[in-house]
Amino acid sequence: MAAAFLSSSLLPLFFFFFFCNFVPKTLSYSDQTSSLKTFIFRVDSHSKPSVFPTHYNWYTTEFADPPQILHVYDTVFHGFSATLNPDQVASISKHPSVLAVFEDRRRQLHTTRSPQFLGLRNQRGLWSDSDYGSDVIIGVFDTGVWPERRSFSDLNLGPVPTRWKGVCETGSKFTARNCNRKLVGARFFSKGHEAAGNAAGPIIGINETIEYRSPRDADGHGTHTASTAAGRYAFKASMAGYASGIAKGVAPKARLAVYKVCWKNAGCFDSDILAAFDTAVNDGVDVISISIGGGDGVASPYYLDPIAIGAYGANSRGVFVSTSGGNDGPSGMSVTNVAPWLTTVGAGTIDRNFPAVVILGNGRKLSGVSLYAGAPLEGKMYPVVYPGKSGLLSASLCMENSLDPNLVRGKIVICDRGSSARVAKGLVVKKAGGVGMILANGASNGEGLVGDAHLIPACAVGSDEADAVKAYVSSTARPTATIDFQGTVLGIKPAPVVASFSGRGPNGLNPEILKPDLIAPGVNILAAWTDAVGPTGLDTDMRKTEFNILSGTSMACPHVSGAAALLKSAHPDWSPAAIRSAMMTAATVVNNQNQPMTDESTGKPSTPYDFGAGHVSLDRAMDPGLVYDITTNDYVNFLCAIGYGPKLIQVITRSPVNCAAKKPLPENLNYPSIAALFSSASVGKTSKVFIRTVTNVGVPNAVYRVEIQSPKGVAVTVKPSKLVFTAAVKKRSFLVTVTADSRNVKLGDSGAVFGSFSWTDGKHVVRSPIVVTQIDPL
């Protein structure tokens, strides 16, 4: 683990300094034009000469020609992005006002009963106390919106908040009439995407055979996330009969502003994401929801990560930013979007499932899931074949053109999960003449299953069932099977369960900050969908559906965005950190059987590396009692603590800073969780002391006492053990001492032991997780 921590932290730092100090040799004209790329330049705005009326005048005079500049940033970030050749980049990077240069990177999307599952109820609690979030504006950075959906109706909504300064940007199949009192604004950002399309020549633009040059959603992901956060009530909602009922977002009356930064089959570019942050904060959003990340399970240093940089600027303006933790679980250290000013969301299941059963010729029944809605198999038994028996990997994975029609025609085909889209495997089977598919998990996915709207009769099974069906096929002369689709089942227990794909801790950049922060519903979520593609997203899927069912931390993130909108509406004076704290300290760590939450991939109890502080529980977050607040100054001290110098910090914060002579400790950031890191070289007892401050947001006169659940083999003390608040005294500080004895501590499978401490006044329980692990210091 220490080695992984070292590599993820230091290599980008090395390349950053190498790049900024390296001047390439002079290139020929043809070399230069063929090596055009987009770069983002962070500029010290304070050094703009007064002779230039605007930053744009300055940039186009001293740095780059106007046609080369894509975006100018002046709100959450100061600088510009431009498409340049290496000589130009090397020259600009030497300018004394340039603080940092980074290449534009492509990022990926982290792809109705969920509101009730969060503890929301009509006419009482957070929904009614916040008027369903009606005065709050959520900005969604995604693939756009399909505005005609019922989820975006403005029926019975009051006027748009007067502070809103955004616009309804028109374009292909999108007019000003597509916005309303619900969808208050819509914009699209394509310059980075278009520049990357053909950097060597004229910009080729957007492929308008599959995309819309407008905020209209050609992919579906953005419509789904926007309606999850703030969709209106839509009666008789379902996806081809599955999950039927009333669809609604977490904050049904919150306003939506859509920022299209991701493009169908093309991802999302940093330069466009940063421009959306800049614009959204100026427009007046209160919450930003961004289900986007690196997609490789590796967290970039904050000064090279435009999501972290943009979110810092938004946070400093009081805007809450919710991000997805990535889908690279269950591997450890796979969580992304880990900056401490971000709220990082993992995914859990809800108490609804879509069971399907594989019935083998020997009578054995194997449980799985499916959203197949076509003609059923009616119990008819078909021959079963596993192409992977041949030892050919592409055939085992049912990759394009890998299946022999003579082998699979008229049969149910077992396809291993991985390398290609789950639904695409079924299409390969169909083309080769197969009649059905059993989608088999491997060890890496364990028992984690998600429903898919397959084009052929198909059932996904966990790794144990996959082993069983393969064993049956290899040991039987004429193996047969059928698939029985059982529709929608509610009241599933246990739930929530941590989704196997959900990104896991520890935090690969700064393990002193526990990430993810919490989990929210992210498996088999019903929400609105585009008319541009079918429910599978495949080009050959011609079906149209008003709603679709998707899984991913992409789906979990907007649940927390909607929750933040409700809390912001009920508590307008709370900071983003206070809102996050309320959700974290009120989160639950037990399932609906009142047992510890389990991990879908292993079936074993899950840990704070999997779920952070726990699963969102909004009825308790409304009145958390105490919150851990964090100021911009605190974040600056944290950046000083992790060794960033003034120039690197200014890349993130926009303003020059001076770090104190005595370096602070990163673990003393006032976070609602505690991660104690000890050196593996330490022998015997070692102690660490953490300082925390809580603010009373409940009744003025309150007395809280501490309750401690120490990690196994670790001693935890809290002083003082009692906090007394009055009308005059709203803040109290305390010390948490964690003492580990190397002779007694037995680190678990994840390389850590876990506990918690809670402040309680008899009504509120303000809980913080404790993680104790060994990591060798740099």
Side-chain angles (χ1 to χ4, degrees):
M1 191 162 77
F5 173 56
L6 279 164
S7 63
S8 65
S9 298
L10 292 183
L11 282 177
L13 192 65
F14 167 76
F15 286 123
F16 172 81
F17 285 117
F18 176 81
F19 175 76
C20 283
N21 291 305
F22 174 71
V23 181
K25 65 180 181 181
T26 303
L27 302 176
S28 70
Y29 177 76
S30 60
D31 285 340
Q32 291 188 13
T33 54
S34 66
S35 55
L36 285 170
K37 289 183 179 177
T38 300
F39 290 84
I40 301 169
F41 297 86
R42 164 64 105 182
V43 179
D44 180 359
S45 65
H46 301 86
S47 59
K48 178 179 77 68
S50 57
V51 67
F52 298 110
T54 67
H55 283 88
Y56 178 76
N57 294 121
W58 181 31
Y59 299 153
T60 53
T61 304
E62 285 198 26
F63 297 97
D65 294 331
Q68 296 174 309
I69 289 184
L70 304 180
H71 298 292
V72 171
Y73 312 107
D74 60 8
T75 300
V76 301
F77 182 88
H78 286 302
F80 62 94
S81 51
T83 303
L84 305 163
N85 65 45
D87 274 3
Q88 293 169 311
V89 175
S91 172
I92 294 171
S93 66
K94 291 183 203 168
H95 193 290
S97 297
V98 172
L99 298 169
V101 184
F102 35 95
E103 190 176 328
D104 203 8
R105 281 179 55 204
R106 187 198 310 268
R107 296 180 186 264
Q108 301 299 334
L109 296 158
H110 284 154
T111 244
T112 60
R113 280 185 55 80
S114 46
Q116 291 94 313
F117 197 65
L118 294 178
L120 293 170
R121 301 288 184 274
N122 284 344
Q123 309 310 325
R124 63 187 176 89
L126 187 50
W127 257 352
S128 56
D129 290 346
S130 65
D131 189 24
Y132 301 81
S134 67
D135 55 347
V136 176
I137 303 163
I138 302 175
V140 179
F141 293 11
D142 214 297
T143 63
V145 66
W146 198 264
E148 292 83 5
R149 289 296 179 237
R150 289 183 288 158
S151 299
F152 308 122
S153 161
D154 66 355
L155 184 67
N156 298 327
L157 276 184
V160 176
T162 54
R163 68 183 186 285
W164 175 245
K165 299 197 289 283
V167 299
C168 194
E169 196 173 354
T170 60
S172 172
K173 301 285 198 311
F174 205 95
T175 71
R177 294 181 64 185
N178 287 127
C179 293
N180 57 21
R181 294 190 307 275
K182 175 66 174 177
L183 183 61
V184 297
R187 297 179 186 261
F188 65 100
F189 298 83
S190 62
K191 290 177 181 175
H193 162 62
E194 293 181 87
N198 189 359
I203 291 173
I204 60 168
I206 291 160
N207 180 356
E208 297 197 41
T209 62
I210 61 166
E211 254 294 3
Y212 303 98
R213 183 187 285 280
S214 76
R216 186 168 287 278
D217 183 8
D219 178 274
H221 193 279
T223 301
H224 199 278
T225 53
S227 62
T228 298
R232 298 300 303 278
Y233 283 68
F235 294 87
K236 295 185 178 177
S238 76
M239 197 287 288
Y242 285 98
S244 57
I246 303 169
K248 52 191 169 293
V250 177
K253 285 189 181 178
R255 316 310 172 108
L256 281 165
V258 164
Y259 298 83
K260 181 175 177 178
V261 296
C262 302
W263 297 81
K264 186 174 172 65
N265 303 334
C268 340
F269 281 87
D270 285 344
S271 56
D272 293 334
I273 293 170
L274 203 48
F277 269 113
D278 223 46
T279 306
V281 172
N282 264 332
D283 285 349
V285 301
D286 302 294
V287 173
I288 289 173
S289 187
I290 179 164
S291 294
I292 299 168
D296 51 8
V298 177
S300 302
Y302 312 126
Y303 57 82
L304 292 178
D305 182 358
I307 293 178
I309 293 168
Y312 183 94
N315 190 290
S316 67
R317 302 285 191 99
V319 177
F320 179 96
V321 183
S322 173
T323 54
S324 47
N327 299 337
D328 289 300
S331 305
M333 210 181 275
S334 54
V335 63
T336 59
N337 290 325
V338 295
W341 46 88
L342 292 169
T343 298
T344 310
V345 189
T349 65
I350 60 173
D351 61 345
R352 177 183 66 197
N353 205 3
F354 310 104
V357 178
V358 177
I359 303 168
L360 302 180
N362 62 7
R364 182 167 178 181
K365 296 182 177 181
L366 307 176
S367 297
V369 300
S370 182
L371 294 169
Y372 172 70
L377 297 180
E378 303 285 8
K380 183 178 177 184
M381 303 299 286
Y382 290 89
V384 187
V385 64
Y386 175 45
K389 262 174 74 173
S390 66
L392 198 62
L393 182 63
S394 61
S396 76
L397 294 166
C398 298
M399 303 295 281
E400 192 70 41
N401 301 319
S402 68
L403 298 183
D404 178 358
N406 295 320
L407 177 70
V408 306
R409 191 178 293 115
K411 296 175 183 173
I412 292 175
V413 182
I414 301 168
C415 296
D416 287 328
R417 186 171 163 184
S419 295
S420 63
R422 299 182 298 272
V423 288
K425 295 175 190 292
L427 188 58
V428 172
V429 171
K430 184 180 182 182
K431 283 180 184 172
V435 297
M437 175 177 71
I438 299 169
L439 184 63
N441 273 11
S444 62
N445 296 113
E447 302 309 309
L449 299 175
V450 293
D452 292 302
H454 293 285
L455 289 163
I456 63 168
C459 174
V461 297
S463 57
D464 289 347
E465 270 87 348
D467 291 343
V469 70
K470 289 174 187 175
Y472 165 70
V473 168
S474 64
S475 63
T476 308
R478 281 187 286 277
T480 59
T482 190
I483 305 172
D484 179 28
F485 302 97
Q486 300 185 340
T488 305
V489 176
L490 304 178
I492 295 292
K493 292 183 178 180
V497 172
V498 177
S500 62
F501 58 76
S502 187
R504 312 300 171 96
N507 176 339
L509 282 185
N510 295 107
E512 304 92 345
I513 306 297
L514 178 65
K515 290 284 181 173
D517 292 309
L518 33 73
I519 63 169
V523 178
N524 295 335
I525 303 301
L526 179 81
W529 192 243
T530 178
D531 258 357
V533 293
T536 61
L538 296 173
D539 294 339
T540 53
D541 187 355
M542 296 294 124
R543 296 173 292 175
K544 299 280 186 250
T545 179
E546 184 183 4
F547 295 92
N548 199 4
I549 294 170
L550 298 182
S551 299
T553 53
S554 274
M555 285 63 250
C557 168
H559 280 87
V560 167
S561 309
L566 296 178
L567 290 168
K568 182 93 175 170
S569 186
H571 303 285
D573 56 328
W574 282 9
S575 69
I579 291 170
R580 175 179 57 201
S581 172
M583 283 194 258
M584 288 176 68
T585 61
T588 179
V589 294
V590 297
N591 58 33
N592 54 6
Q593 295 174 312
N594 209 30
Q595 297 293 316
M597 268 193 292
T598 53
D599 182 339
E600 188 181 43
S601 64
T602 63
K604 295 178 181 177
S606 48
T607 75
Y609 277 165
D610 308 325
F611 56 65
H615 189 279
V616 178
S617 176
L618 286 182
D619 50 348
R620 292 174 53 206
M622 171 68 184
D623 177 22
L626 307 175
V627 295
Y628 293 79
D629 211 352
I630 303 177
T631 66
T632 304
N633 235 17
D634 296 327
Y635 289 127
V636 169
N637 286 337
F638 168 80
L639 294 170
C640 291
I642 62 172
Y644 285 14
K647 191 171 176 180
L648 280 187
I649 293 175
Q650 191 179 348
V651 171
I652 299 161
T653 63
R654 306 188 307 288
S655 304
V657 299
N658 289 310
C659 293
K662 187 182 178 188
K663 196 168 158 185
L665 297 172
E667 57 263 36
N668 281 337
L669 182 67
N670 198 37
Y671 224 71
S673 54
I674 283 186
L677 316 179
F678 292 97
S679 168
S680 57
S682 57
V683 179
K685 288 186 178 179
T686 316
S687 294
K688 288 224 163 180
V689 180
F690 301 81
I691 305 165
R692 292 291 186 269
T693 302
V694 284
T695 304
N696 181 21
V697 293
V699 294
N701 296 304
V703 178
Y704 282 83
R705 290 177 170 80
V706 75
E707 295 175 354
I708 300 170
Q709 288 79 43
S710 295
K712 199 170 180 183
V714 175
V716 177
T717 59
V718 177
K719 289 184 179 177
S721 59
K722 182 173 81 170
L723 303 177
V724 179
F725 297 93
T726 65
V729 180
K730 293 185 176 178
K731 289 181 184 285
R732 288 286 188 193
S733 297
F734 57 92
L735 301 177
V736 180
T737 303
V738 178
T739 304
D741 189 333
S742 60
R743 293 162 297 200
N744 297 336
V745 177
K746 300 283 188 291
L747 301 181
D749 295 342
S750 58
V753 287
F754 306 94
S756 66
F757 71 93
S758 305
W759 291 105
T760 179
D761 64 349
K763 178 189 175 186
H764 306 94
V765 178
V766 187
R767 183 183 180 279
S768 292
I770 300 172
V771 176
V772 178
T773 189
Q774 289 183 329
I775 286 184
D776 291 320
L778 294 176

mmCIF file of all heavy atoms in Angstrom, residues 568-593:
data_model
loop_
_atom_site.group_PDB
_atom_site.id
_atom_site.type_symbol
_atom_site.label_atom_id
_atom_site.label_comp_id
_atom_site.label_asym_id
_atom_site.label_seq_id
_atom_site.Cartn_x
_atom_site.Cartn_y
_atom_site.Cartn_z
ATOM 1 N N LYS A 568 -29.665 22.789 2.099
ATOM 2 C CA LYS A 568 -29.378 24.210 1.836
ATOM 3 C C LYS A 568 -30.672 25.026 1.919
ATOM 4 O O LYS A 568 -30.676 26.159 2.423
ATOM 5 C CB LYS A 568 -28.764 24.338 0.442
ATOM 6 C CG LYS A 568 -28.370 25.735 0.045
ATOM 7 C CD LYS A 568 -26.928 26.014 0.377
ATOM 8 C CE LYS A 568 -26.477 27.361 -0.121
ATOM 9 N NZ LYS A 568 -25.166 27.736 0.397
ATOM 10 N N SER A 569 -31.763 24.438 1.423
ATOM 11 C CA SER A 569 -33.046 25.135 1.466
ATOM 12 C C SER A 569 -33.527 25.292 2.903
ATOM 13 O O SER A 569 -34.032 26.348 3.287
ATOM 14 C CB SER A 569 -34.069 24.355 0.643
ATOM 15 O OG SER A 569 -35.276 25.053 0.547
ATOM 16 N N ALA A 570 -33.353 24.252 3.703
ATOM 17 C CA ALA A 570 -33.797 24.298 5.100
ATOM 18 C C ALA A 570 -32.851 25.121 5.973
ATOM 19 O O ALA A 570 -33.269 25.701 6.975
ATOM 20 C CB ALA A 570 -33.902 22.872 5.643
ATOM 21 N N HIS A 571 -31.571 25.174 5.584
ATOM 22 C CA HIS A 571 -30.544 25.873 6.385
ATOM 23 C C HIS A 571 -29.695 26.747 5.454
ATOM 24 O O HIS A 571 -28.544 26.430 5.155
ATOM 25 C CB HIS A 571 -29.638 24.872 7.111
ATOM 26 C CG HIS A 571 -30.365 23.924 8.001
ATOM 27 N ND1 HIS A 571 -30.888 24.290 9.223
ATOM 28 C CD2 HIS A 571 -30.657 22.603 7.844
ATOM 29 C CE1 HIS A 571 -31.466 23.243 9.790
ATOM 30 N NE2 HIS A 571 -31.350 22.208 8.971
ATOM 31 N N PRO A 572 -30.236 27.880 4.988
ATOM 32 C CA PRO A 572 -29.521 28.705 3.994
ATOM 33 C C PRO A 572 -28.169 29.214 4.475
ATOM 34 O O PRO A 572 -27.305 29.537 3.656
ATOM 35 C CB PRO A 572 -30.475 29.881 3.744
ATOM 36 C CG PRO A 572 -31.791 29.474 4.293
ATOM 37 C CD PRO A 572 -31.546 28.439 5.341
ATOM 38 N N ASP A 573 -27.968 29.273 5.802
ATOM 39 C CA ASP A 573 -26.722 29.830 6.322
ATOM 40 C C ASP A 573 -25.623 28.771 6.465
ATOM 41 O O ASP A 573 -24.494 29.104 6.819
ATOM 42 C CB ASP A 573 -26.973 30.495 7.688
ATOM 43 C CG ASP A 573 -27.588 29.533 8.693
ATOM 44 O OD1 ASP A 573 -28.351 28.639 8.277
ATOM 45 O OD2 ASP A 573 -27.311 29.677 9.898
ATOM 46 N N TRP A 574 -25.922 27.512 6.199
ATOM 47 C CA TRP A 574 -24.903 26.475 6.348
ATOM 48 C C TRP A 574 -23.905 26.530 5.199
ATOM 49 O O TRP A 574 -24.273 26.718 4.039
ATOM 50 C CB TRP A 574 -25.550 25.095 6.382
ATOM 51 C CG TRP A 574 -26.175 24.731 7.699
ATOM 52 C CD1 TRP A 574 -26.373 25.546 8.776
ATOM 53 C CD2 TRP A 574 -26.693 23.440 8.064
ATOM 54 N NE1 TRP A 574 -26.989 24.846 9.788
ATOM 55 C CE2 TRP A 574 -27.200 23.555 9.386
ATOM 56 C CE3 TRP A 574 -26.789 22.221 7.406
ATOM 57 C CZ2 TRP A 574 -27.777 22.477 10.059
ATOM 58 C CZ3 TRP A 574 -27.364 21.152 8.065
ATOM 59 C CH2 TRP A 574 -27.847 21.272 9.382
ATOM 60 N N SER A 575 -22.626 26.312 5.524
ATOM 61 C CA SER A 575 -21.565 26.243 4.509
ATOM 62 C C SER A 575 -21.591 24.870 3.839
ATOM 63 O O SER A 575 -22.211 23.928 4.345
ATOM 64 C CB SER A 575 -20.200 26.438 5.179
ATOM 65 O OG SER A 575 -19.902 25.305 5.995
ATOM 66 N N PRO A 576 -20.901 24.725 2.697
ATOM 67 C CA PRO A 576 -20.804 23.392 2.089
ATOM 68 C C PRO A 576 -20.255 22.340 3.049
ATOM 69 O O PRO A 576 -20.735 21.205 3.060
ATOM 70 C CB PRO A 576 -19.863 23.618 0.900
ATOM 71 C CG PRO A 576 -20.085 25.048 0.515
ATOM 72 C CD PRO A 576 -20.308 25.770 1.820
ATOM 73 N N ALA A 577 -19.254 22.731 3.878
ATOM 74 C CA ALA A 577 -18.676 21.760 4.823
ATOM 75 C C ALA A 577 -19.694 21.363 5.892
ATOM 76 O O ALA A 577 -19.739 20.195 6.313
ATOM 77 C CB ALA A 577 -17.423 22.340 5.474
ATOM 78 N N ALA A 578 -20.519 22.317 6.330
ATOM 79 C CA ALA A 578 -21.542 22.004 7.337
ATOM 80 C C ALA A 578 -22.583 21.049 6.766
ATOM 81 O O ALA A 578 -23.036 20.115 7.450
ATOM 82 C CB ALA A 578 -22.201 23.293 7.827
ATOM 83 N N ILE A 579 -22.955 21.253 5.494
ATOM 84 C CA ILE A 579 -23.930 20.363 4.850
ATOM 85 C C ILE A 579 -23.357 18.948 4.743
ATOM 86 O O ILE A 579 -24.019 17.955 5.059
ATOM 87 C CB ILE A 579 -24.321 20.916 3.469
ATOM 88 C CG1 ILE A 579 -25.134 22.206 3.633
ATOM 89 C CG2 ILE A 579 -25.101 19.887 2.665
ATOM 90 C CD1 ILE A 579 -25.375 22.961 2.341
ATOM 91 N N ARG A 580 -22.100 18.853 4.306
ATOM 92 C CA ARG A 580 -21.468 17.527 4.212
ATOM 93 C C ARG A 580 -21.376 16.874 5.586
ATOM 94 O O ARG A 580 -21.660 15.684 5.749
ATOM 95 C CB ARG A 580 -20.071 17.642 3.606
ATOM 96 C CG ARG A 580 -19.316 16.313 3.604
ATOM 97 C CD ARG A 580 -17.938 16.437 2.985
ATOM 98 N NE ARG A 580 -17.143 17.448 3.652
ATOM 99 C CZ ARG A 580 -16.093 18.049 3.106
ATOM 100 N NH1 ARG A 580 -15.724 17.739 1.888
ATOM 101 N NH2 ARG A 580 -15.411 18.958 3.769
ATOM 102 N N SER A 581 -20.980 17.659 6.590
ATOM 103 C CA SER A 581 -20.859 17.130 7.946
ATOM 104 C C SER A 581 -22.189 16.566 8.437
ATOM 105 O O SER A 581 -22.240 15.477 9.019
ATOM 106 C CB SER A 581 -20.369 18.230 8.896
ATOM 107 O OG SER A 581 -20.410 17.793 10.234
ATOM 108 N N ALA A 582 -23.273 17.291 8.195
ATOM 109 C CA ALA A 582 -24.592 16.827 8.634
ATOM 110 C C ALA A 582 -24.917 15.472 8.010
ATOM 111 O O ALA A 582 -25.429 14.570 8.689
ATOM 112 C CB ALA A 582 -25.661 17.854 8.269
ATOM 113 N N MET A 583 -24.608 15.331 6.715
ATOM 114 C CA MET A 583 -24.887 14.051 6.047
ATOM 115 C C MET A 583 -23.980 12.947 6.577
ATOM 116 O O MET A 583 -24.424 11.810 6.777
ATOM 117 C CB MET A 583 -24.713 14.196 4.541
ATOM 118 C CG MET A 583 -25.870 14.910 3.872
ATOM 119 S SD MET A 583 -25.826 14.713 2.081
ATOM 120 C CE MET A 583 -25.158 16.284 1.598
ATOM 121 N N MET A 584 -22.697 13.271 6.827
ATOM 122 C CA MET A 584 -21.755 12.241 7.270
ATOM 123 C C MET A 584 -22.043 11.775 8.696
ATOM 124 O O MET A 584 -22.099 10.575 8.968
ATOM 125 C CB MET A 584 -20.320 12.759 7.157
ATOM 126 C CG MET A 584 -19.806 12.872 5.726
ATOM 127 S SD MET A 584 -18.141 13.591 5.626
ATOM 128 C CE MET A 584 -17.151 12.284 6.383
ATOM 129 N N THR A 585 -22.233 12.724 9.602
ATOM 130 C CA THR A 585 -22.390 12.323 11.008
ATOM 131 C C THR A 585 -23.747 11.699 11.279
ATOM 132 O O THR A 585 -23.923 11.007 12.281
ATOM 133 C CB THR A 585 -22.178 13.522 11.950
ATOM 134 O OG1 THR A 585 -23.163 14.530 11.666
ATOM 135 C CG2 THR A 585 -20.783 14.097 11.808
ATOM 136 N N ALA A 586 -24.710 11.913 10.373
ATOM 137 C CA ALA A 586 -26.036 11.314 10.536
ATOM 138 C C ALA A 586 -26.186 10.035 9.716
ATOM 139 O O ALA A 586 -27.240 9.393 9.759
ATOM 140 C CB ALA A 586 -27.114 12.314 10.119
ATOM 141 N N ALA A 587 -25.141 9.652 8.963
ATOM 142 C CA ALA A 587 -25.236 8.479 8.092
ATOM 143 C C ALA A 587 -25.378 7.204 8.919
ATOM 144 O O ALA A 587 -24.968 7.140 10.082
ATOM 145 C CB ALA A 587 -23.995 8.389 7.204
ATOM 146 N N THR A 588 -25.958 6.201 8.290
ATOM 147 C CA THR A 588 -26.149 4.925 8.987
ATOM 148 C C THR A 588 -25.131 3.898 8.504
ATOM 149 O O THR A 588 -24.729 3.904 7.338
ATOM 150 C CB THR A 588 -27.578 4.383 8.759
ATOM 151 O OG1 THR A 588 -27.720 3.142 9.435
ATOM 152 C CG2 THR A 588 -27.870 4.153 7.282
ATOM 153 N N VAL A 589 -24.700 3.021 9.410
ATOM 154 C CA VAL A 589 -23.741 1.969 9.056
ATOM 155 C C VAL A 589 -24.377 0.589 9.181
ATOM 156 O O VAL A 589 -23.696 -0.428 9.112
ATOM 157 C CB VAL A 589 -22.458 2.053 9.919
ATOM 158 C CG1 VAL A 589 -21.706 3.330 9.615
ATOM 159 C CG2 VAL A 589 -22.779 1.965 11.403
ATOM 160 N N VAL A 590 -25.708 0.567 9.379
ATOM 161 C CA VAL A 590 -26.416 -0.716 9.462
ATOM 162 C C VAL A 590 -27.413 -0.817 8.312
ATOM 163 O O VAL A 590 -27.806 0.180 7.716
ATOM 164 C CB VAL A 590 -27.146 -0.893 10.814
ATOM 165 C CG1 VAL A 590 -26.146 -0.911 11.964
ATOM 166 C CG2 VAL A 590 -28.202 0.190 11.028
ATOM 167 N N ASN A 591 -27.816 -2.050 8.003
ATOM 168 C CA ASN A 591 -28.773 -2.276 6.927
ATOM 169 C C ASN A 591 -30.188 -2.406 7.483
ATOM 170 O O ASN A 591 -30.419 -2.183 8.674
ATOM 171 C CB ASN A 591 -28.369 -3.517 6.109
ATOM 172 C CG ASN A 591 -28.267 -4.770 6.977
ATOM 173 O OD1 ASN A 591 -29.008 -4.942 7.953
ATOM 174 N ND2 ASN A 591 -27.357 -5.663 6.622
ATOM 175 N N ASN A 592 -31.133 -2.758 6.626
ATOM 176 C CA ASN A 592 -32.531 -2.829 7.057
ATOM 177 C C ASN A 592 -32.841 -4.073 7.896
ATOM 178 O O ASN A 592 -33.986 -4.300 8.269
ATOM 179 C CB ASN A 592 -33.488 -2.726 5.863
ATOM 180 C CG ASN A 592 -33.198 -3.743 4.774
ATOM 181 O OD1 ASN A 592 -32.343 -4.620 4.927
ATOM 182 N ND2 ASN A 592 -33.902 -3.627 3.659
ATOM 183 N N GLN A 593 -31.812 -4.854 8.204
ATOM 184 C CA GLN A 593 -31.941 -5.930 9.195
ATOM 185 C C GLN A 593 -31.277 -5.545 10.507
ATOM 186 O O GLN A 593 -31.109 -6.378 11.401
ATOM 187 C CB GLN A 593 -31.308 -7.215 8.647
ATOM 188 C CG GLN A 593 -32.024 -7.772 7.425
ATOM 189 C CD GLN A 593 -31.297 -8.961 6.823
ATOM 190 O OE1 GLN A 593 -30.081 -8.913 6.611
ATOM 191 N NE2 GLN A 593 -32.023 -10.034 6.542
#
